[in-house]
Structure formats: structure tokens, C-alpha cells
Amino acid sequence: MTKKEWPLWEVFIRGQHGLNHRHVGSLHAPDAEMAINHARDVYTRRKEGVSIWVVPSRDITASSPSEKGPLFDPAESKTYRHPTFFDIPDEVGKM
Amino acid sequence: MYAQLVKSDALKSREDMSPEERAFQDRVDNGEKIEPKEWMPEGYRKTLIRQIGQHAHSEIVGQLPEGNWITRAPTLERKAILLAKVQDEAGHGLYLYSAAETLGVSRDELLEKLHSGNMKYSSIFNYPTLNWADMGAVGWLVDGAAIMNQVPLQRTSYGPYSRAMIRICKEESFHQRQGYSIMMKMAFGTPEQKEMAQDALNRFWYPALMMFGPSDKDSVHSAQSMAWKIKMNTNDELRQKFVNETVPQAEYLGLTVPDENLAWNEDKQGYDFSEPDWSEFFEVIKGNGPCNRERLGARVKAWEDGAWFRDGLNAYADKAAARRQAASVAAE
């Protein structure tokens, strides 16, 4: 019998009330509950969080690094999406 | 505002609260954020669904009056800008629908309620956009009024709503500035262009004031929403703030705000101004504005016409999953 390895989990921590959960790293655990326990031990020993999410790594679909150009370059020429593109005189107040 | 008339519960006094409700209120009072899986009063959940849902509907219905001008923008640059703005509104709708879904309502349920008229969207989008200057007026006044309301909502007590608002506010400044830049172009252009700009201001001024909802004295149950921090300011406070900031902007353009009673009041350090016609507001909310049927009709048509496409993608995803399943079985 081959030895079954614990699956990999990605760990997300909410640092403070109101913030998004942010990815902090990963760990191995036999199930979701244990993954949370491990995440607490590994990633919040100094009270770094108020909430933990764990997601099986195999369930994460990621864009591939080679797609970076086609995915993100088109936004480069669309500078008008930024408010600073428009010259608004100071005397009309902040906008 | 984008949510103008949200039914809410009557304000509950501390004595009438259960221990759970009291603990909840303490957390809200302390500025803590409430997150999806945590306990919350049923009224809080329901009011938030109505409010965030109304807000989301406003974002996507709000695409229609501006979408009307994409193909007729005066230059390619203005077309690209307007397209980007309308695209942002779709994104804002998405952020808000997602926030509402964390409260246990489904996206389809919300859309069904919009389509059947059981949920509202902002009255402002039931007014027509008649000429290019209206694109300026909408960005400047409508997005300007929206920002007034959305900036304080970044501090709302419900975490997912607050985070959606932060994202939206970041993007919203572009919207108002592109509108004002259209107004500048028109107001400083030919006499005919200036006249168009003035006409747009005339038509959008009072509907923009209505966006903040009825006067506080007629506004039902906003006290509970304010205690829960899902409403941060009263309607009249925000309306006053909007007028104070917008009047100088109109003056800079050399345009006249269509209100004979508009005057600076030194004592309150703000403008006195005329109330909009509230009977018109309630008619528009009831469905009798100039474009209500057209707007809702366009949304329902888009939803129904897109059904085969959504179904097709589902069928493809199911097939692909079945194929992967078969392949993994064969490999074992």
C-alpha cells in the first residue's frame, strides 16, 4: 500500500476587522478542520489575524505566467480609466 | 440614493433587545465589521439585502442611459472613455450583487425581483439622455451625487458591502471627472454647445437632488439603519453637501443652476435651495417616469435574449467535466 500524503491547502488570513482575507502561504493537513488548526499555529502565532480561510490547493485555478501579456497589457493604453487623465482646475474643488 | 427608499425596521431600543442583539449593536457601535458567517439580526440582513440589491440594480440599469450614446460619441477618444465608464458600472453591479449574495440571497433571485418590479433602482435612470451634453451632466451630477453617498458607506458595518464600496469609490472619481470634462468642453465651446450644456443642467438638476431620497421628515425608519451603520448620513445632510459642492462647479462653467431660490446662507455655511417636486419623485418610483418601461424592458429583454447563451456555456461546462471524469476513470 502506498502511503497517502496529506493534501496541500492554501491559507488566507484576515488581518484586521474589515479587511480582505489575504493569501499568506500553504500547508499540509488531512482535512479542512485540521488545516485551520495548523494555519492558526503556523500563521497567527503573533495574533496576525481575526479570521482564517483554507482552500484545497488543487481547487485553485490560476492564470498562467505566459498569459500575462495578453491578459494585462491591454489596460496599459487605457489611461483614461484613471481620474488623473482629466485636467480639472483646482478652483472647482476636489472631484 | 442609489438606494433611495429602503424599507427598514423601526428603531429598537436597547431595553427591547435580546442579549444577542445587544452584543451585536455593541460591536457595530465599536466600529467592528460584521462578516457573512456571523450572527446578525434578521432585520439587519433583510434591510441590507434590499439596500445592496437596490444599489446593484441601479448600477446595471444605470448603464442604459449612457449606453445610449456610445455609438454616437463625438470622437473616438470620447467613445472609448464612455465605453470604459459604462463597463465600470457593470463591474460595480457585480461587486454589489456578490456582496448581497453573502447574505444568503441568490443572484437570480435578485434579478427576478428587479424584472418583476418587486425591487427598485434609482429614480434618476428613468430620465432620458437627449443629447451629448447629457453625458457630461450624468457624469458630473449623477455620479457626483452617488459619490456623496458612497464615500461614507465605505465605513458601513457590513464587511463585504464596505469592501465593495471602497473598490467602487476608487473607480468613481474617473466617472465624475470625465463628466465634468465634457461639461467644460461644451460650456466653453460655441454658444450652441453652451446652450446644450445649460439645457442638460436644467433637466438633470432636480432629478439629481431626488437621488438622495425624500426629506428626512418624510423618510421612513432611517433611524434603525443609521443605528446599524448601513446608512451613514441623513438624506438632507447629503443633499446639502452635494449642493454646496456642485454650485461652485456650475459657476466655474458659467452655467446657471435652475433655482431662483438658490442663495448662500452665511449662518449655516451652505446654500439655501428649492426642494425638488416630490410628487414627481414618487410617480417615478411607482413606475411612471419618462423611461421606466423602456429601462425595465431593456433589462428583461437582455436577460431573456441571453438565456440561450448562458445555457450553452453551462452545457459546455457540464460536458467538459463529464469528459474529464471519464478520462480520470479510464486512467485508473
Side-chain angles (χ1 to χ4, degrees), chain B residues 192-323:
Chain B
E192 288 81 6
Q193 284 176 307
K194 185 169 181 183
E195 206 174 297
M196 283 166 75
Q198 180 64 54
D199 174 58
L201 172 58
N202 292 349
R203 281 180 292 108
F204 277 96
W205 176 254
Y206 287 104
L209 293 186
M210 292 178 198
M211 287 176 67
F212 299 93
S215 175
D216 296 339
K217 51 187 191 296
D218 309 317
S219 185
V220 272
H221 299 326
S222 64
Q224 181 62 74
S225 288
M226 291 187 72
W228 278 334
K229 292 191 190 167
I230 56 186
K231 190 178 167 82
M232 308 301 285
N233 306 84
T234 70
N235 297 347
D236 287 335
E237 270 168 29
L238 290 172
R239 191 166 14 248
Q240 181 70 57
K241 196 163 182 273
F242 173 74
V243 172
N244 292 350
E245 288 191 17
T246 309
V247 170
Q249 294 164 358
E251 282 168 356
Y252 179 85
L253 294 170
L255 301 179
T256 311
V257 172
D259 181 358
E260 285 174 5
N261 300 316
L262 187 78
W264 178 255
N265 180 332
E266 192 60 34
D267 291 338
K268 74 170 182 189
Q269 285 295 302
Y271 288 91
D272 290 330
F273 58 95
S274 303
E275 293 275 310
D277 176 358
W278 290 114
S279 62
E280 176 182 318
F281 169 76
F282 286 108
E283 277 305 308
V284 175
I285 289 283
K286 256 193 276 171
N288 302 321
C291 298
N292 291 60
R293 270 170 219 105
E294 187 186 329
R295 299 293 187 236
L296 203 53
R299 284 311 320 162
V300 171
K301 185 177 186 305
W303 179 251
E304 287 174 354
D305 288 356
W308 68 271
F309 186 70
R310 294 191 301 275
D311 291 346
L313 289 181
N314 262 337
Y316 175 79
D318 289 347
K319 247 188 198 171
R323 223 176 288 134

Side-chain angles (χ1 to χ4, degrees), chain A residues 19-70:
Chain A
L19 299 185
N20 292 303
H21 285 82
R22 295 191 74 158
H23 185 245
V24 291
S26 50
L27 47 73
H28 286 273
D31 60 25
E33 198 190 336
M34 285 301 288
I36 295 244
N37 288 338
H38 289 173
R40 190 208 61 150
D41 292 345
V42 178
Y43 291 109
T44 66
R45 288 195 307 279
R46 288 168 186 79
K47 250 180 135 347
E48 284 95 338
V50 295
S51 165
I52 302 172
W53 283 352
V54 291
V55 181
S57 304
R58 64 168 180 278
D59 287 349
I60 303 244
T61 308
S63 64
S64 114
S66 64
E67 286 171 324
K68 193 170 151 273

Side-chain angles (χ1 to χ4, degrees), chain A residues 72-87:
Chain A
F72 307 114
D73 287 354
E76 217 161 82
S77 59
K78 296 174 180 61
T79 46
Y80 45 80
R81 284 177 177 158
H82 297 276
T84 44
F85 180 82
F86 303 90
D87 272 330

Side-chain angles (χ1 to χ4, degrees), chain A residues 20 80-81 83 86 89 95, chain B residues 35 87 163 174 176-177 252:
Chain A
N20 292 303
Y80 45 80
R81 284 177 177 158
F86 303 90
M95 200 177 267
Chain B
E35 296 296 341
Q87 189 182 28
R163 291 188 288 273
F174 147 50
Q176 195 188 11
R177 290 169 73 102
Y252 179 85

Side-chain angles (χ1 to χ4, degrees), chain B residues 29-225:
Chain B
D29 292 344
N30 286 335
E32 277 182 39
K33 297 286 183 233
I34 308 302
E35 296 296 341
K37 283 186 166 178
E38 294 167 348
W39 185 88
M40 60 186 81
E42 197 47 26
Y44 177 85
R45 198 182 67 84
K46 283 202 170 129
T47 309
L48 266 177
I49 290 176
R50 283 193 208 107
Q51 179 172 327
I52 303 174
Q54 221 180 88
H55 197 155
H57 297 328
S58 299
E59 299 284 354
I60 59 160
V61 176
Q63 295 182 287
L64 297 170
E66 290 178 299
N68 187 32
W69 281 90
I70 291 173
T71 55
R72 286 173 282 169
T75 64
L76 185 58
E77 184 181 58
R78 289 289 178 190
K79 180 177 180 165
I81 292 168
L82 186 60
L83 193 58
K85 187 205 184 256
V86 172
Q87 189 182 28
D88 274 359
E89 307 298 0
H92 295 179
L94 172 75
Y95 306 156
L96 287 159
Y97 282 125
S98 303
E101 285 176 271
T102 63
L103 292 157
V105 65
S106 81
R107 178 94 44 113
D108 284 8
E109 226 174 309
L110 288 169
L111 288 177
E112 193 282 317
K113 283 190 172 148
L114 169 68
H115 296 162
S116 62
N118 287 318
M119 276 182 94
K120 305 287 181 205
Y121 54 88
S122 177
S123 58
I124 190 74
F125 302 119
N126 292 311
Y127 291 86
T129 45
L130 303 177
N131 71 49
W132 175 252
D134 289 15
M135 295 303 95
V138 167
W140 170 38
L141 300 173
V142 176
D143 289 84
I147 290 169
M148 281 298 145
N149 183 54
Q150 292 174 164
V151 165
L153 273 176
Q154 293 177 102
R155 291 178 286 114
T156 185
S157 61
Y158 189 55
Y161 192 23
S162 153
R163 291 188 288 273
M165 279 297 126
I166 290 169
R167 214 167 246 280
I168 288 174
C169 284
K170 249 193 213 159
E171 298 174 356
E172 203 78 64
S173 166
F174 147 50
H175 296 180
Q176 195 188 11
R177 290 169 73 102
Q178 66 84 33
Y180 196 74
S181 105
I182 293 175
M183 290 308 276
M184 281 168 55
K185 200 87 181 167
M186 301 291 283
F188 302 144
T190 65
E192 288 81 6
Q193 284 176 307
K194 185 169 181 183
E195 206 174 297
M196 283 166 75
Q198 180 64 54
D199 174 58
L201 172 58
N202 292 349
R203 281 180 292 108
F204 277 96
W205 176 254
Y206 287 104
L209 293 186
M210 292 178 198
M211 287 176 67
F212 299 93
S215 175
D216 296 339
K217 51 187 191 296
D218 309 317
S219 185
V220 272
H221 299 326
S222 64
Q224 181 62 74
S225 288

